[in-house]
């Protein structure tokens, strides 16, 4: 049985125990616990990522009480705890998705240009979301320099809105056919990189000047989803504000416990329940996987807060050092109530 003093020095989010209250305050100052963290449906422990939550539930050293409940009523994809085994079966049938039809992928491989990019100047209601993926061939003397040779963009409904092979600006020395399926003849008359760059850049900005893009809400620019988008955008020579980018490789809840990125292949298998990138890889398949991951994260329900980020000016003094004495008089639950996230949760896109 825990003493009242030990409970008082115990973090209400991650349950870490401290010897002194001032140490708990220091912990809360740097932990950024919030309602947006993945949370165990049994004991309500907050975890930094879904991988941490998975280890807590079914890892090598799980919490036994939580593991027992999870084995009976836990979804192995979204890690939610359902009310009954019957509810779990119904839920998991919906939670596990099926992969892209490979007949479609085979037909896509023969598509040259599909271009439905339109600039609507923000007349469509709400923020529009698109996913982008590229496939690279090799340039340079050893073929190790990544050159974008194929690009695909889809909408939220998994419809292709842009697909083209891309003619690189320097000679290709390795087509990487085993993984890309790209042959020299596909690129001979392909759209030049500069033209692809301008088409995508204009489409993403959607009639809004780059310097005006400040928020995913209220503006005309589109939210861009992908995996490893820093690299893809660099190879496309496209610039886009970070505030409009949703990258499944850099989103804290989807990262490893070591804070390194998971592969898209792993994320799709673990959280969507199907396999991708077997043999020749298709950018459409990657677009679909990243869009589905984004929508799954966006559709999570978290309690609404007026100012949800630690960086918001209204939260700047929540754990200020000059409040130390006041903070030490608070209960762990009261400190958790004023703690805010240090990352932008994608559920806020649907707010």
């Amino acid at each position: 049985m825990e003493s009242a003093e030990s409970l008082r020095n115990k973090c209400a989010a991650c349950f870490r125990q401290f010897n002194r209250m001032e140490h708990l305050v220091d912990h809360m100052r740097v932990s950024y616990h919030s309602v947006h963290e993945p949370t165990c449906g049994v004991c309500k422990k907050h975890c930094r990522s879904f991988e941490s939550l998975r280890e807590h539930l079914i890892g090598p050293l799980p919490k036994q009480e939580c593991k027992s409940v999870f084995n009976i009523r836990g979804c192995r994809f979204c890690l939610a705890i359902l009310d009954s085994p019957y509810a779990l079966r119904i839920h998991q049938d919906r939670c596990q998705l099926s992969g892209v039809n490979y007949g479609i992928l085979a037909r896509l491989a023969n598509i040259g240009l599909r271009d439905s990019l339109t600039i609507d100047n923000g007349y469509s209601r709400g923020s529009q979301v698109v996913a982008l993926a590229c496939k690279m061939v090799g340039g340079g003397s050893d073929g190790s320099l990544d050159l974008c040779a194929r690009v695909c963009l889809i909408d939220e409904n998994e419809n292709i809105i842009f697909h083209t092979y891309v003619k690189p600006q320097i000679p290709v020395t390795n087509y990487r056919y085993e993984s890309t399926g790209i042959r020299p003849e596909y690129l001979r008359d392909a759209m030049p990189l500069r033209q692809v760059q301008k088409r995508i850049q204009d489409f993403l900005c959607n009639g809004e000047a780059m310097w005006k893009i400040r928020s995913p809400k209220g503006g005309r620019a589109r939210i861009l989803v992908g995996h490893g988008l820093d690299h893809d955008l660099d190879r496309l020579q496209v610039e886009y504000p970070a505030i409009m980018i949703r990258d499944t490789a850099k989103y804290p809840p989807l990262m490893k416990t070591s804070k390194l990125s998971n592969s898209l292949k792993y994320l799709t298998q673990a959280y969507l329940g199907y396999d991708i990138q077997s043999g020749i890889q298709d950018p459409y398949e990657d677009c679909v996987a990243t869009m589905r991951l984004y929508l799954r994260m966006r559709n999570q329900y978290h309690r609404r807060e007026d100012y949800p980020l630690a960086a918001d000016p209204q939260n700047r003094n929540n754990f200020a050092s000059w409040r130390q004495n006041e903070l030490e008089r608070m209960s762990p639950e009261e400190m958790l109530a004023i703690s805010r996230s240090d990352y932008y949760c994608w559920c806020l896109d649907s707010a």
Side-chain angles (χ1 to χ4, degrees):
M1 201 67 180
E2 291 180 292
S3 68
E5 185 61 31
S6 66
L7 285 173
R8 176 164 165 70
N9 298 342
K10 182 178 180 180
C11 176
C14 67
F15 302 158
R16 188 174 168 186
Q17 186 75 52
F18 296 89
N19 292 327
R20 302 179 60 165
M21 192 62 177
E22 65 187 82
H23 298 156
L24 174 58
V25 172
D26 290 341
H27 164 76
M28 294 300 295
R29 189 172 281 134
V30 299
S31 64
Y32 300 104
H33 289 309
S34 76
V35 297
H36 299 286
E37 290 177 304
T39 304
C40 175
V42 182
C43 70
K44 308 306 179 187
K45 177 182 178 179
H46 290 225
C47 299
R48 187 62 180 172
S49 67
F50 283 102
E51 288 302 290
S52 296
L53 178 57
R54 193 182 297 275
E55 287 187 7
H56 169 77
L57 292 167
I58 51 176
L61 296 170
K63 184 174 180 182
Q64 288 302 323
E65 177 191 350
C66 299
K67 179 183 178 181
S68 299
V69 175
F70 185 83
N71 285 342
I72 299 171
R73 298 190 277 119
C75 174
R76 68 181 187 275
F77 303 113
C78 69
L79 306 181
I81 305 293
L82 283 299
D83 293 334
S84 67
Y86 174 72
L88 172 63
R89 285 196 299 273
I90 296 174
H91 166 88
Q92 206 154 258
D93 285 344
R94 293 197 304 265
C95 205
Q96 181 176 14
L97 303 180
S98 56
V100 176
N101 184 299
Y102 284 90
I104 293 175
L105 292 182
R107 291 198 297 275
L108 279 175
N110 298 317
I111 289 178
L113 172 67
R114 178 175 292 186
D115 188 350
S116 302
L117 299 183
T118 57
I119 297 172
D120 63 17
N121 291 302
Y123 289 118
S124 297
R125 184 176 296 176
S127 295
Q128 298 173 70
V129 182
V130 297
L132 177 145
C134 301
K135 289 302 168 188
M136 309 290 173
V137 292
S141 58
D142 60 355
S144 63
L145 179 64
D146 283 346
L147 305 172
C148 180
R150 191 177 176 192
V151 61
C152 183
L153 271 166
I154 68 167
D155 62 18
E156 281 192 60
N157 298 315
E158 302 176 8
N159 299 311
I160 296 174
I161 48 182
F162 185 70
H163 173 277
T164 186
Y165 288 100
V166 183
K167 189 170 188 177
Q169 294 176 311
I170 64 174
V172 177
T173 54
N174 183 357
Y175 285 87
R176 305 173 183 174
Y177 178 78
E178 294 78 10
S179 61
T180 67
I182 295 174
R183 301 179 185 276
E185 57 267 27
Y186 295 174
L187 306 185
R188 198 166 294 136
D189 299 312
M191 186 180 290
L193 177 64
R194 287 289 186 198
Q195 189 177 343
V196 173
Q197 180 262 337
K198 184 173 184 351
R199 296 286 293 123
I200 292 176
Q201 186 100 55
D202 291 347
F203 174 73
L204 293 176
C205 292
N206 197 24
E208 188 165 8
M210 184 79 74
W211 62 271
K212 283 187 176 180
I213 301 173
R214 293 287 181 269
S215 168
K217 298 174 187 174
R220 300 194 296 267
R222 294 175 165 99
I223 291 172
L224 178 63
V225 175
H227 189 85
L229 279 171
D230 287 348
H231 182 250
D232 285 353
L233 294 177
D234 177 67
R235 297 295 85 192
L236 287 167
Q237 299 178 13
V238 169
E239 294 183 7
Y240 205 52
I243 197 167
M244 301 301 295
I245 290 175
R246 307 290 178 264
D247 194 333
T248 55
K250 297 170 70 175
Y251 188 51
L254 291 177
M255 296 179 77
K256 297 178 181 179
T257 53
S258 60
K259 298 184 180 180
L260 297 174
S261 298
N262 278 302
S263 69
L264 181 58
K265 183 181 180 73
Y266 170 78
L267 291 175
T268 304
Q269 195 279 328
Y271 298 102
L272 301 179
Y274 67 93
D275 293 314
I276 63 168
Q277 298 178 347
S278 301
I280 290 177
Q281 300 173 17
D282 193 284
Y284 174 71
E285 184 179 50
D286 291 356
C287 282
V288 170
T290 55
M291 181 63 81
R292 289 175 175 178
L293 285 165
Y294 166 75
L295 293 175
R296 182 151 290 181
M297 295 296 107
R298 189 185 74 179
N299 292 338
Q300 292 183 97
Y301 175 76
H302 298 140
R303 190 181 76 246
R304 296 299 179 202
E305 298 165 324
D306 291 336
Y307 304 102
L309 298 176
D312 289 334
Q314 295 81 0
N315 298 320
R316 187 175 300 147
N317 293 323
N318 285 11
F319 289 95
S321 57
W322 54 264
R323 295 186 64 188
Q324 183 74 21
N325 290 337
E326 177 190 354
L327 291 166
E328 288 183 24
R329 290 194 296 271
M330 287 184 179
S331 68
E333 291 75 20
E334 287 171 332
M335 276 192 279
L336 179 58
I338 64 170
S339 185
R340 294 294 182 267
S341 175
D342 61 342
Y343 64 87
Y344 180 90
C345 181
W346 292 349
C347 78
L348 299 173
D349 284 345
S350 62

